[in-house]
Amino acid sequence: MGLPVITDYAQPTAAELPKPRASWQPEAHRMALLVHDMQRYFLRPFQAENAPLAPAIANIAALIAHCRARNIPVFYTAQKGNQQRCDRGLQADLWGPGMSWAPEHEDIIEELAPRPEDHVLVKHRYSAFQRSNLETLMRVRGRDQLLVTGVYAHIGCTATLAEAFQLDIEPFIAADAVADFSRDDHLSALHWIARTCGVPMTTEQLLKAL
């Protein structure tokens, strides 16, 4: 129970990205960016200075800066520590009690820290849409595309993308701005997303398109 120890692995390259079923293209006037669960608690299993985490952080930072400069809304998810069992729900059965309310657990890392103009959503379940007003905040801003970055690719990132699709929001994942338990998990998530609900792209491709 709890998070595993994660071995270093290389981020996927453009040549490794699966071909998506969808032909959607990212558009700056329709896009919102989500920085998913980049809290210290979730990043502890990684070697911070190595891949996949170090390049993921650098790529997320580049996407945040790019989006802020173009008035693309930036959203963050962040869980609260010391959750009661009734609030944590079935996640407690799989992952244990989770984080405490200490800053070394709850804080979003400094390299990606939100600004006052950004939106920080309290995270309750795998999907960022669950028990949050993410959809409403996107709709009132005329946004119907969502770009997901962060951790973990095969869990919360994938769940969020799948729910976005079911809400008729076009989902994109920055394939080298996410990280996972293993490279197999990471690549499997990209393949599942490409086949069922979204478009994987590299950070370089996204920066050019946006």
Side-chain angles (χ1 to χ4, degrees):
M1 190 173 289
L3 298 173
V5 175
I6 297 175
T7 303
D8 296 348
Y9 68 85
Q11 284 282 351
T13 64
E16 294 178 285
L17 296 189
K19 181 177 175 58
R21 292 178 61 87
S23 58
W24 307 318
Q25 295 297 316
E27 300 179 57
H29 69 283
R30 300 173 61 197
M31 184 66 75
L33 173 66
L34 179 66
V35 181
H36 184 278
D37 287 2
M38 292 297 285
Q39 296 170 273
R40 296 190 180 281
Y41 176 83
F42 293 116
L43 304 185
R44 290 188 308 167
F46 296 97
Q47 294 293 321
E49 66 278 7
N50 297 337
L53 187 59
I57 291 172
N59 288 334
I60 296 170
L63 288 165
I64 290 172
H66 194 83
C67 288
R68 285 174 177 157
R70 287 155 181 80
N71 295 315
I72 296 171
V74 180
F75 296 92
Y76 290 77
T77 60
Q79 288 191 23
K80 295 295 186 182
N82 287 53
Q83 291 178 328
Q84 296 185 17
R85 182 61 170 81
C86 59
D87 292 325
R88 189 152 175 78
L90 295 179
Q91 292 175 119
D93 294 343
L94 271 63
W95 306 105
M99 69 177 69
S100 75
W101 57 41
E104 60 267 26
H105 279 194
E106 284 191 337
D107 282 1
I108 295 168
I109 59 172
E110 293 178 7
E111 300 95 317
L112 307 176
R115 292 183 180 176
E117 66 268 24
D118 301 326
H119 310 274
V120 181
L121 308 167
V122 177
K123 184 79 176 307
H124 295 280
R125 293 293 184 269
Y126 287 166
S127 169
F129 289 98
Q130 286 294 307
R131 304 188 189 182
S132 83
N133 58 349
L134 175 57
E135 181 188 5
T136 300
L137 290 170
M138 290 184 61
R139 299 291 188 199
V140 299
R141 288 162 178 78
R143 305 290 161 160
D144 63 353
Q145 294 183 335
L146 183 64
L147 170 59
V148 175
T149 65
V151 295
Y152 293 101
H154 82 286
I155 307 176
C157 295
T158 294
T160 299
L161 289 160
E163 188 159 359
F165 174 81
Q166 293 172 92
L167 294 170
D168 294 325
I169 294 170
E170 295 176 4
F172 295 80
I173 186 167
D176 54 0
V178 295
D180 215 327
F181 291 175
S182 69
R183 200 167 199 268
D184 285 345
D185 286 331
H186 193 140
L187 293 174
S188 293
L190 298 181
H191 280 271
W192 190 88
I193 290 161
R195 291 171 63 190
T196 60
C197 67
V199 179
M201 299 177 69
T202 65
T203 298
E204 182 180 5
Q205 291 168 342
L206 288 158
L207 293 173
K208 288 180 179 178
L210 294 171

